[in-house]
Amino acid sequence: MAHIDHQTMRRVLRREIAGTIGLLTDEHDFRAMRRYRSFTFDSHETYLQQVEALLKTRASQGGHTTVALFDPQEYAEFCADAGLDPDVPSSRTRFTAELASTGPTVPYDGQPLADLVPTLVDEAVRQATWEYASTLLARLGACASCGEDIGRAAFTRASGLLVRILDTAGPGNRHLVCSVSATPETLVSVLHADEDDDGAIQLDEAEALEFTTVLALGIATQSPGGLVMRTSTSGTTDRVYGWRLRGEGLAPLTAGEVFDAYCTDIESGDLISPESDVDYCAPPDLGQEGPTSGHHH
């Protein structure tokens, strides 16, 4: 009887353990891991099937699992820094545990792996974008004229602009995209701001932080870029409007400029048919900036 009780308690305890799986999302990364003899999979398709089966099994047993993006190059660097043998499973386990606290992760909620992978990749891109933009902001240092930290002041200014943009938007769900020209490629950040039943705006904190950081980088470096807002409300046409980055602030786009931006193919320059039930319009007046909106001369 005691033996059965111990088994039961261990099963209960197993349900209390949260787990993380490091996932090789693409064929290239999978091939990179095959150089290790202890990594025994020979087919990426089979590997993904087995991962999905394991996720389903853990979920059916009441376990909670998060999925992390496993990068073979980062893994090799991790093992080299920690003095670990990369060709043993315990090293991969330690790296995955590190990913659980520092890397991009997505909780498994029973969704197909085909749906989870794009979400995980998007999360990795979001985190990388934020880290890159933050690094560039930090490198700007202090203003030669007044000594104020340029990056911090730009972030304050960007935060104030975002609040005013959301406050002046009409009712409904908001979808914002900010793009800033940077080296080696343009940084793009997306923010979803949905209304709850009480009309309050709900933001994902990580999304909002990344979005504000990218906008701040554009302001601090006075780089070419823009910000577009799309608001959606049930039973009405969607409204699309935006601004271009100009100096240390935003300049409104005309309705025609917004239409041209949405209805022109970026690569070919050909016209694209406008969406039905969409109103391309000028943005609302953001009002006057407050006295503490950031650094500017």
Side-chain angles (χ1 to χ4, degrees), residues 68-138:
L69 189 67
F70 195 105
D71 185 297
Q73 183 176 344
E74 291 182 2
Y75 171 63
E77 293 171 355
F78 171 82
C79 290
D81 293 341
L84 299 174
D85 180 0
D87 202 1
V88 294
S90 60
S91 296
R92 292 193 288 275
T93 301
R94 287 183 60 175
F95 178 65
T96 301
E98 182 81 6
L99 290 177
S101 59
T102 62
T105 61
V106 172
Y108 177 72
D109 298 320
Q111 67 271 49
L113 204 58
D115 295 337
L116 186 147
V117 168
T119 303
L120 180 59
V121 172
D122 287 347
E123 177 65 17
V125 171
R126 183 202 60 75
Q127 182 167 318
T129 299
W130 171 73
E131 290 175 351
Y132 182 65
S134 298
T135 299
L136 293 182
L137 274 179

Side-chain angles (χ1 to χ4, degrees), residues 133 136-138 140-141 143 148-162 209 211-222 245 247-249 289 292-296:
L136 293 182
L137 274 179
L140 294 175
C143 173
E148 186 172 12
D149 186 287
I150 297 173
R152 185 177 298 112
F155 189 89
T156 300
R157 188 175 179 84
S159 299
L161 284 170
L162 178 58
L209 176 60
F211 189 92
T212 307
T213 303
V214 171
L215 178 57
L217 180 64
I219 291 172
T221 59
Q222 299 191 21
L245 284 170
E248 295 179 332
E289 291 189 62
T292 60
S293 58
H295 171 272
H296 48 96

Side-chain angles (χ1 to χ4, degrees), residues 23-93:
L23 182 66
L24 298 160
T25 57
D26 62 52
E27 186 74 34
H28 178 269
D29 287 346
F30 179 81
R31 287 198 303 269
M33 289 302 294
R34 290 200 62 207
R35 62 181 170 174
Y36 303 119
R37 288 184 299 174
S38 61
F39 186 78
T40 57
F41 290 96
D42 57 11
S43 164
H44 189 228
E45 182 180 356
T46 301
Y47 162 80
L48 292 176
Q49 291 172 349
Q50 292 300 314
V51 169
E52 185 160 26
L54 177 60
L55 289 170
K56 290 180 178 179
T57 298
R58 283 183 53 82
S60 68
Q61 295 172 348
H64 174 76
T65 310
T66 57
V67 182
L69 189 67
F70 195 105
D71 185 297
Q73 183 176 344
E74 291 182 2
Y75 171 63
E77 293 171 355
F78 171 82
C79 290
D81 293 341
L84 299 174
D85 180 0
D87 202 1
V88 294
S90 60
S91 296
R92 292 193 288 275
T93 301

